[in-house]
């Protein structure tokens, strides 16, 4: 978190993550190149490498884009999310290798600066079959570079969350550009139907995953009506497992209703780090812990423990006849609210 | 609410809970398997790389007479059969003219690397290797048989740069290679119209202007696409050339 950032360092899980990632990348490239050279003795190594790197970067981008919605649909994918940044940087690295290789191969050693050549040697923007697909790849690479360069929490803090989030939404523009880069580029040369089919599958998978997870969230967001005193009946105490939360939408904002040690505390559902869903987290050592990267907050006041400085808004709550009632008006972030006691026995017949 | 009663993952703790760890390992293994299967499928579905050969790293010595019009070639005497003409290029995406300009019409020795495909051959001339041939009689070094007029023809094909397509890059034609071909032709590599007969056999015809001049700059926008060229076909030894104003080339849908 802030204040020098949480000292995570290279713990065992991070090493496992990066080890598997690098190992996987090496295996993919090795298999692609050896198999291609074995099957096509007349091929040139440059082209094989170009294709190995390009297909791998595109595949990695699919994985990166799948993790968010998968983790929202199924918490078992949360471990993939924790170090997603590394996957993103690796994707950029492989894409960059592909791009630099293509630049040298197709544009260097000529009568024009290679970078000018990429931009100027094909300007047939009105043609489909001849569209300058390399420029699409260059655009995607620039976006991935921006994202990789700003992926550290340092930038998240200095750019402010909304700007950072908007910047990182550009990844979808990059993805679209890459789909066209493939469709208007190599697919115009390599005509085996498998390529078109795989590209279609990839795009459908990404679309479907985002639609389904978005639709699920929408369904969860159905508004609850307020009672006469303005408090909203959110759920029964018994519906909340101990040390966990139930997420509800009040006045358009999601809140996380936590049960811990016989009491109820309500916080905004949005983690201050990257808007992770606090309500899908747990209470660990008495602290609400975000499921994405583990930022922690005190349940009563929504403040991170010292020396960290994050705060989320809190909400007033009370328990009546085994039901949890919440005031939908958020209190300023970090405001202390006495946790609402669950009266003895209430939880039993909630 | 009893679903996912499984353990909770906190990334900065040294160990993930065991069932979650097992599940994650399984997913990782599945993803890796999928990626490797994909790699294999992607490799196998490629359509092949053509028969071109570039003898990268191998330099040979050649003797012949330099001609520069419309494109630099080395005319090599074939005892009893007149001359074979080898197209010339320099290193990278550069034409050979600056290397051979001073030797036009002279018998020379030069060193270079061969690229060849289906009857067409190019030498990538090693810089500084071109010298007058001390053993040849310079006065009789005049192979320029003016060629044979084959009449008015219409050819349909694709403009390729005669260096990459012969084997320096694979594939050295179509869309993915388009920018490179344009760069090469712009740099002085002779543009060639590649046509195929019904059986898929390729033939290569040098593109020259209506007055027999080189047309590099005029064809850049038309490379790597199906086009139609109407003009006069001429044979010069083993080379074919079609002369037509590049403005009359027609892009086919
Ligand atoms: S979003 Fe990163 S810890 Fe909550």
């Amino acid at each position: 978190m802030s204040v020098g950032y949480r000292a995570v360092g290279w713990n065992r899980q991070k090493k496992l993550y990066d080890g598997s990632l690098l190992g996987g990348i090496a295996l993919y490239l090795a298999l692609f190149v050896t198999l291609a050279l074995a099957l096509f003795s007349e091929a040139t190594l440059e082209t094989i490498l170009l294709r190995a790197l390009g297909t791998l970067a595109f595949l990695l981008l699919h994985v990166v884009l799948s993790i968010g919605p998968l983790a929202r649909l199924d918490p078992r994918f949360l471990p993939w999310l924790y170090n997603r940044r590394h996957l993103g940087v690796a994707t950029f690295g492989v894409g960059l290798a592909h791009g630099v290789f293509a630049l040298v191969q197709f544009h260097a050693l000529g009568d024009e600066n290679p970078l000018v050549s990429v931009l100027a040697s094909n300007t047939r923007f009105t043609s489909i079959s001849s569209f300058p697909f390399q420029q699409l790849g260059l655009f995607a690479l620039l976006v991935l570079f921006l994202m990789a360069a700003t992926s550290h929490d340092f930038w998240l803090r200095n750019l402010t969350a909304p700007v950072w989030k908007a910047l990182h939404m550009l990844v979808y523009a990059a993805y679209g550009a890459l789909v066209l880069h493939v469709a208007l580029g190599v697919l115009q040369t390599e005509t085996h139907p498998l390529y078109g089919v795989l590209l279609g599958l990839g795009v459908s998978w990404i679309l479907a995953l985002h639609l389904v997870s978005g639709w699920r969230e929408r369904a969860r967001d159905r508004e609850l009506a307020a009672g006469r005193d303005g408090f909203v009946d959110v759920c029964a105490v018994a519906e909340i497992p101990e040390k966990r939360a139930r997420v509800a939408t009040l006045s358009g904002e999601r809140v996380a209703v936590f049960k811990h040690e016989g009491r109820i505390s309500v916080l905004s559902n949005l983690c201050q780090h990257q808007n992770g869903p606090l309500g899908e987290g747990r209470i660990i050592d008495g602290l609400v812990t975000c499921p994405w990267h583990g930022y922690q907050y005190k349940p009563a006041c929504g403040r991170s423990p010292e020396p960290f400085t994050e705060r989320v808004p809190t909400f007033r709550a009370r328990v009546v006849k085994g039901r949890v009632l919440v005031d939908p008006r958020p209190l300023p972030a970090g405001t202390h609210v006495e946790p609402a006691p669950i009266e003895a026995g209430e939880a039993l017949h909630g | 609410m009893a679903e996912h009663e499984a353990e909770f993952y906190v990334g900065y703790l040294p160990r993930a809970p065991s069932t979650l760890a097992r599940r994650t390992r399984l997913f990782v293994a599945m993803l890796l398997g999928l990626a490797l299967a994909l790699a294999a499928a992607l490799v196998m579905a490629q359509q092949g790389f053509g028969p071109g050969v570039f003898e990268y790293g191998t330099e040979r010595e050649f003797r012949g007479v330099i001609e520069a019009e419309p494109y630099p070639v080395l005319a090599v005497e074939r005892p009893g059969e007149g001359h074979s003409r080898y197209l010339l290029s320099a290193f990278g995406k550069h034409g050979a003219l600056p290397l051979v300009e001073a030797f036009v019409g002279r018998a020379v020795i030069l060193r270079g690397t061969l690229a060849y495909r289906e009857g067409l051959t190019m030498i990538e001339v090693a810089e500084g290797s071109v010298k007058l041939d001390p053993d040849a009689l310079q006065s009789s070094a005049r192979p320029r048989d003016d060629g044979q007029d084959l009449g008015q023809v219409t050819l349909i094909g694709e403009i390729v740069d005669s260096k990459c397509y012969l084997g320096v890059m694979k594939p050295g034609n179509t869309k993915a290679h388009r920018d490179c071909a344009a760069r090469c032709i712009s740099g002085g590599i002779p543009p060639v119209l590649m046509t195929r007969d019904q059986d898929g056999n390729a033939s290569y015809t040098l593109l020259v202007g209506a007055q027999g001049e080189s047309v590099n700059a005029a064809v850049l926008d038309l490379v790597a696409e199906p086009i139609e060229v109407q003009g006069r076909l001429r044979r010069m030894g083993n080379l074919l050339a079609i002369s037509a104003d590049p403005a009359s080339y027609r892009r086919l849908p």
Side-chain angles (χ1 to χ4, degrees):
Chain A
M1 296 188 241
S2 320
V3 186
Y5 314 105
R6 182 155 291 202
V8 168
W10 293 94
N11 69 7
R12 180 175 165 277
Q13 291 189 42
K14 223 171 219 192
K15 282 186 197 145
L16 275 178
Y17 195 105
D18 289 2
S20 327
L21 179 57
L22 292 178
I25 287 176
L27 264 179
Y28 181 96
L29 294 176
L31 177 75
F32 196 109
V33 172
T34 23
L35 191 61
L37 289 179
L39 293 180
F40 300 93
S41 55
E42 76 284 11
T44 48
L45 183 61
E46 296 93 320
T47 303
I48 302 290
L49 274 173
L50 206 53
R51 290 180 172 180
L53 290 164
T55 52
L56 176 57
F58 198 46
L59 176 64
L60 283 172
L61 186 59
H62 278 84
V63 179
V64 170
L65 290 180
S66 303
I67 290 178
L70 275 178
R72 255 174 280 146
L73 289 171
D74 185 339
R76 287 175 302 173
F77 284 99
L78 282 169
W80 294 75
L81 194 97
Y82 185 72
N83 286 313
R84 180 170 53 170
R85 179 172 105 74
H86 294 215
L87 196 55
V89 173
T91 304
F92 166 67
V94 176
L96 181 68
H98 169 82
V100 168
F101 224 124
L103 192 69
V104 170
Q105 171 97 331
F106 297 137
H107 297 276
L109 301 179
D111 59 350
E112 181 64 276
N113 176 321
L115 280 171
V116 176
S117 176
V118 176
L119 296 175
S121 63
N122 182 356
T123 49
R124 297 209 41 219
F125 292 101
T126 50
S127 158
I128 289 186
S129 66
S130 297
F131 191 91
F133 73 104
Q134 295 186 347
Q135 299 169 19
L136 293 166
L138 184 67
F139 165 76
L141 209 46
L142 287 177
V143 171
L144 291 183
F145 168 72
L146 265 185
M147 298 189 37
T150 60
S151 63
H152 193 273
D153 279 358
F154 168 82
W155 286 100
L156 176 56
R157 232 164 89 75
N158 285 281
L159 292 171
T160 74
V163 174
W164 190 85
K165 192 103 200 168
L167 181 68
H168 282 237
M169 289 305 277
L170 272 180
V171 73
Y172 293 101
Y175 178 68
L178 284 180
V179 169
L180 291 177
H181 174 73
V182 172
L184 299 176
V186 73
L187 259 55
Q188 304 290 320
T189 298
E190 287 292 338
T191 45
H192 195 291
L194 179 77
Y195 297 117
V197 169
L198 285 178
L199 181 65
L201 280 178
V203 173
S204 324
W205 162 259
I206 294 293
L207 274 180
L209 212 52
H210 282 77
L211 284 177
V212 170
S213 80
W215 178 77
R216 278 260 211 116
E217 305 246 297
R218 284 276 294 281
R220 261 196 247 158
D221 275 351
R222 105 203 112 76
E223 283 277 336
L224 299 165
R228 251 175 297 146
D229 56 354
F231 276 59
V232 177
D233 183 337
V234 170
C235 62
V237 171
E239 288 176 60
I240 312 175
E242 176 63 18
K243 291 202 174 20
R244 298 188 50 183
R246 170 97 202 222
V247 178
T249 306
L250 304 178
S251 318
E253 209 193 320
R254 284 191 207 139
V255 301
V257 183
F258 276 95
K259 178 156 99 179
H260 58 111
E261 289 156 1
R263 295 178 302 170
I264 296 286
S265 287
V266 185
L267 302 179
S268 157
N269 190 49
L270 290 186
C271 177
Q272 281 299 289
H273 178 223
Q274 286 178 15
N275 293 347
L278 288 181
E280 290 165 33
R282 309 252 173 133
I283 299 208
I284 297 178
D285 301 332
L287 297 168
V288 169
T289 307
C290 178
W292 282 9
H293 314 90
Y295 275 38
Q296 293 188 309
Y297 304 88
K298 296 184 203 160
C301 62
R303 294 174 187 228
S304 292
E306 300 287 302
F308 304 111
T309 55
E310 276 72 23
R311 308 166 167 201
V312 293
T314 50
F315 295 81
R316 271 186 273 267
R318 60 173 181 260
V319 178
V320 178
K321 294 196 191 116
R323 306 285 308 174
V324 180
L325 306 181
V326 179
D327 182 348
R329 285 162 300 185
L331 299 168
T335 308
H336 182 89
V337 176
E338 202 46 45
I342 307 167
E343 275 111 310
E346 288 248 39
L348 294 179
H349 45 252
Chain B
M1 287 308 291
E3 83 262 36
H4 311 312
E5 233 7 286
E7 305 110 319
F8 184 59
Y9 177 83
V10 181
Y12 50 77
L13 298 181
R15 267 171 197 286
S18 64
T19 37
L20 197 56
R22 239 177 298 125
R23 183 69 46 109
T24 306
R25 272 199 293 276
L26 180 70
F27 283 153
V28 170
M30 279 164 50
L31 179 62
L32 187 65
L34 180 71
L36 295 182
L38 263 177
L42 290 170
V43 167
M44 290 194 287
Q46 293 175 109
Q47 64 184 352
F49 293 83
V53 173
F54 178 50
E55 296 184 340
Y56 182 75
T58 309
E59 237 177 63
R60 301 172 190 270
E61 193 175 83
F62 302 89
R63 282 160 196 265
V65 174
I66 298 286
E67 293 171 8
E69 288 293 322
Y71 301 104
V73 299
L74 185 72
V76 176
E77 201 173 336
R78 292 271 168 258
E81 316 169 36
H83 291 83
S84 284
R85 284 182 168 81
Y86 296 152
L87 296 174
L88 299 178
S89 78
F91 180 68
K93 300 176 174 60
H94 296 285
L97 196 57
L99 299 183
V100 300
E101 236 165 359
F103 300 92
V104 176
R106 318 293 298 274
V108 299
I109 303 180
L110 57 78
R111 298 190 61 78
T113 308
L114 278 181
Y116 48 90
R117 174 172 186 159
E118 294 152 325
L120 189 63
T121 305
M122 167 171 275
I123 305 170
E124 182 188 89
V125 181
E127 197 164 350
S129 74
V130 190
K131 312 190 277 286
L132 286 180
D133 184 348
D135 304 332
L137 219 50
Q138 291 295 350
S139 57
S140 63
R142 304 227 130 254
R144 208 170 164 99
D145 29 353
D146 240 333
Q148 189 189 351
D149 190 345
L150 300 180
Q152 195 73 16
V153 294
T154 300
L155 297 178
I156 290 179
E158 174 189 340
I159 302 178
V160 297
D161 74 89
S162 51
K163 184 167 191 185
C164 289
Y165 190 68
L166 293 189
V168 173
M169 282 191 199
K170 295 179 169 190
N173 64 324
T174 67
K175 180 66 182 291
H177 184 262
R178 181 185 203 275
D179 289 12
C180 179
R183 192 80 285 127
C184 281
I185 292 173
S186 163
I189 307 286
V192 159
L193 187 71
M194 188 261 294
T195 52
R196 288 193 184 280
D197 64 17
Q198 291 105 319
D199 302 327
N201 301 315
S203 35
Y204 305 99
T205 309
L206 282 169
L207 291 169
V208 297
Q211 312 312 323
E213 75 279 17
S214 66
V215 292
N216 295 52
V219 303
L220 294 182
D221 209 33
L222 288 162
V223 294
E225 286 181 67
I227 60 163
E228 183 191 272
V229 178
Q230 292 189 2
R232 267 203 116 61
L233 192 64
R234 223 153 50 87
R235 172 177 290 287
M236 304 139 74
N238 58 321
L239 291 182
L240 287 172
I242 184 165
S243 39
D245 178 0
S248 71
Y249 297 177
R250 221 156 55 79
R251 185 176 271 137
L252 299 177

